[in-house]
């Protein structure tokens, strides 16, 4: 089981990086991604923790970018998910 769209306290989530990892393990999630709105702080922090080698989890870095489309959608904002960057 996986969850490829998790938000942390660095955007509009309720948990910090340590709480996210704890919840992922408790839920038996083996693959997950942090996709905070317009920041990579959560992804970076989780990546750093997992690089210590203490956990056996498949992690995808991510960000949910807010994009304003003026010409095509009359100024509507949309979200684009971008994952697996260095």
């Amino acid at each position: 089981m996986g969850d490829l769209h998790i938000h942390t306290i660095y955007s509009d989530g309720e948990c910090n990086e340590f709480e996210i990892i704890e919840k992922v393990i408790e839920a038996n999630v083996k693959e997950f991604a942090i996709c905070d709105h317009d920041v990579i702080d959560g992804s970076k922090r989780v990546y750093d923790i997992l690089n210590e080698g203490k956990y056996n989890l498949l992690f995808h870095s991510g960000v949910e970018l807010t994009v304003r489309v003026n010409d095509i959608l009359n100024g509507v904002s949309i979200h684009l998910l971008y994952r697996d960057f260095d």
Side-chain angles (χ1 to χ4, degrees):
M1 181 168 70
D3 188 341
L4 299 177
H5 191 156
I6 299 173
H7 295 278
T8 69
I9 59 170
Y10 303 103
S11 69
D12 62 347
E14 297 179 3
C15 299
N16 68 31
E17 60 273 21
F18 298 103
E19 294 166 324
I20 295 286
I21 291 171
E22 186 176 294
K23 286 178 182 278
V24 162
I25 291 168
E26 287 174 4
N28 201 30
V29 170
K30 299 297 182 193
E31 181 176 10
F32 71 108
I34 300 296
C35 294
D36 285 323
H37 291 276
D38 303 311
V39 296
I40 63 168
D41 300 41
S43 274
K44 171 104 174 73
R45 291 171 192 253
V46 168
Y47 177 82
D48 290 343
I49 292 167
L50 295 180
N51 259 355
E52 295 173 4
K54 185 176 173 184
Y55 305 98
N56 185 24
L57 299 167
L58 179 55
F59 175 67
H60 300 272
S61 57
V63 64
E64 186 171 344
L65 298 171
T66 303
V67 178
R68 187 166 179 86
V69 183
N70 289 325
D71 294 337
I72 301 170
L73 298 175
N74 297 324
V76 172
S77 291
I78 60 173
H79 292 156
L80 299 175
L81 286 176
Y82 180 63
R83 286 197 296 257
D84 295 321
F85 56 84
D86 292 332

